Each structure stands twice: as structure tokens, then as C-alpha cells.
Amino acid sequence: LATDPTFEANVVGEYVFRLKVTDAADTASCETAEVHVFVIPDAAIHVEMVWNTPGDLNQSDEGPEAGADLDLHFAHPLATGVDGVLDGWFDKRFDCFWFNAHPDWGSESPDVHDNPGLDRDDTDGTGPEIVNLRLPEDGQTYRIGIHSWFAHGFGPSWAKVRVFSYDELRFESATVKLQEFDFWEVA
């Protein structure tokens, strides 16, 4: 029995917490208490990606190679890409992803919060992966992509992306099947 439980709310939405107190004979001592908590992003752009890998029979386990690893990408319009491919993905300065989790692509002032951040990276399960951008640049169009980095032998995954502007859902993708090494340009 946890006397000081904690819970990490990783995706936007409503969470319901219930507490039922019983004695040693399993007799309820009072009515079940219920609290509703609404998790709302506080960024101008909040992108979250989740996925399901049916071949992974225990998607909640953790550790190296414990599940499929999909990666969320958030690219600036100046992203040019790598290896001669001019698609903008994997750009070492202008693509926010696991290898470049907190790029500096905005103002040089540390008081201006105009750089994105990969605030959650899940390497072994179902996500979420989350990118936040507090202060977007005026007139810029950012791109969102998903890379099925490594399946670890679990087979294909089905990914979904939601984009919020503060508390408003602006975009929700269909669920898309990704094989290992596939890249999906979401939006």
C-alpha cells in the first residue's frame, strides 16, 4: 500500500482519481472519493505523439530494447536535412528530436523562450514523446514528422499525433502504421 503515491500525467486530457478506503475485513469505511484533473498544455505549440506496437506483449516494461522506439521531429522552416537530402529532417540545428532535444534557433537572448524542446523522449514503449514551443516566430510554418527508429523485433507500430495551441486541440492525425525505419511527414 503506497502512503505517498505519485502520478505523472504525460498526455493532455482528463484524469480521474478514485480513493476507496476499507478496513481489514474489506468493509468500506466511507463513500469512494473521486477527483477529476484536467491536464492542459501551457505552450503556444504542444505536440504529442503516442504509439501502439501489438507485437510487444508488455508495452509498459522499461529498459534497453524493451519496446519499439519511435521519434518525434519538429522542424523549423530553415531546416535543410543531412546527407544531401534537402527534406529538413535530422538537421543538426533546425530539427528538434532526440539528438537535438533543445535547439537554439530563435533569439540570442536567454530571456526570450522561442526555442522548442523535446520535453519527453520515450525509447522503449508507447510514448508519449512531447515537443513544446512557447513562443513561435511570426509567419513561420513548422513541420512535424515521426521516424520509426528501431522496432527491436516487435514489428510495426501504429502512431498518432495531436497538436495543441495552449488548451485548444488544433490537429489530430489518423493512426498510421509504421514499419521499422519508416518516416512519416505528419504535418
Side-chain angles (χ1 to χ4, degrees), residues 20 38 41 58 93 126 133 149 166:
K20 181 178 180 182
F38 297 90
N58 183 2
R93 177 160 183 218
T126 61
L133 178 60
W149 170 245
Y166 297 106

Side-chain angles (χ1 to χ4, degrees), residues 20 27 46 56 78 90 93 115 126 142 145 147 155 175 180:
K20 181 178 180 182
T27 303
H46 172 90
D56 182 355
L78 295 177
F90 302 97
R93 177 160 183 218
N115 295 310
T126 61
Y142 303 98
H147 183 220
T175 302
E180 186 172 72

Side-chain angles (χ1 to χ4, degrees), residues 6-187:
T6 59
F7 179 79
E8 183 178 340
N10 291 321
V11 296
V12 174
E14 178 182 10
Y15 293 82
V16 180
F17 297 91
R18 294 183 183 91
L19 175 65
K20 181 178 180 182
V21 179
T22 59
D23 62 17
D26 202 30
T27 303
S29 62
C30 57
E31 289 186 29
T32 300
E34 183 173 289
V35 174
H36 294 250
V37 175
F38 297 90
V39 175
I40 302 169
D42 63 354
I45 299 175
H46 172 90
V47 182
E48 59 184 38
M49 182 254 306
V50 294
W51 66 93
N52 176 31
T53 309
D56 182 355
L57 300 181
N58 183 2
Q59 294 187 59
S60 63
D61 60 347
E62 298 177 353
E65 302 182 16
D69 184 4
L70 275 66
D71 293 321
L72 176 61
H73 287 251
F74 186 76
H76 188 280
L78 295 177
T80 59
V82 295
D83 299 330
V85 179
L86 298 178
D87 60 8
W89 306 115
F90 302 97
D91 185 289
K92 290 183 176 142
R93 177 160 183 218
F94 292 109
D95 184 6
C96 179
F97 66 111
W98 72 269
F99 187 74
N100 191 27
H102 296 280
D104 185 6
W105 67 28
S107 169
E108 292 183 21
S109 170
D111 298 327
V112 178
H113 302 287
D114 59 353
N115 295 310
L118 177 64
D119 295 332
R120 189 163 197 292
D121 180 27
D122 184 352
T123 62
D124 58 10
T126 61
E129 293 213 350
I130 296 172
V131 168
N132 285 299
L133 178 60
R134 300 204 181 289
L135 185 61
E137 296 175 60
D138 287 338
Q140 298 296 341
T141 300
Y142 303 98
R143 296 168 53 216
I144 300 166
I146 306 299
H147 183 220
S148 179
W149 170 245
F150 203 43
H152 296 292
F154 294 109
S157 296
W158 280 258
K160 184 175 202 165
V161 173
R162 296 190 308 167
V163 180
F164 293 84
S165 179
Y166 297 106
D167 63 346
E168 187 175 335
L169 178 63
R170 297 293 187 137
F171 172 79
E172 184 169 0
S173 75
T175 302
V176 172
K177 180 180 179 181
L178 297 170
Q179 300 287 348
E180 186 172 72
F181 309 127
D182 281 352
F183 195 99
W184 169 34
E185 188 162 337
V186 179

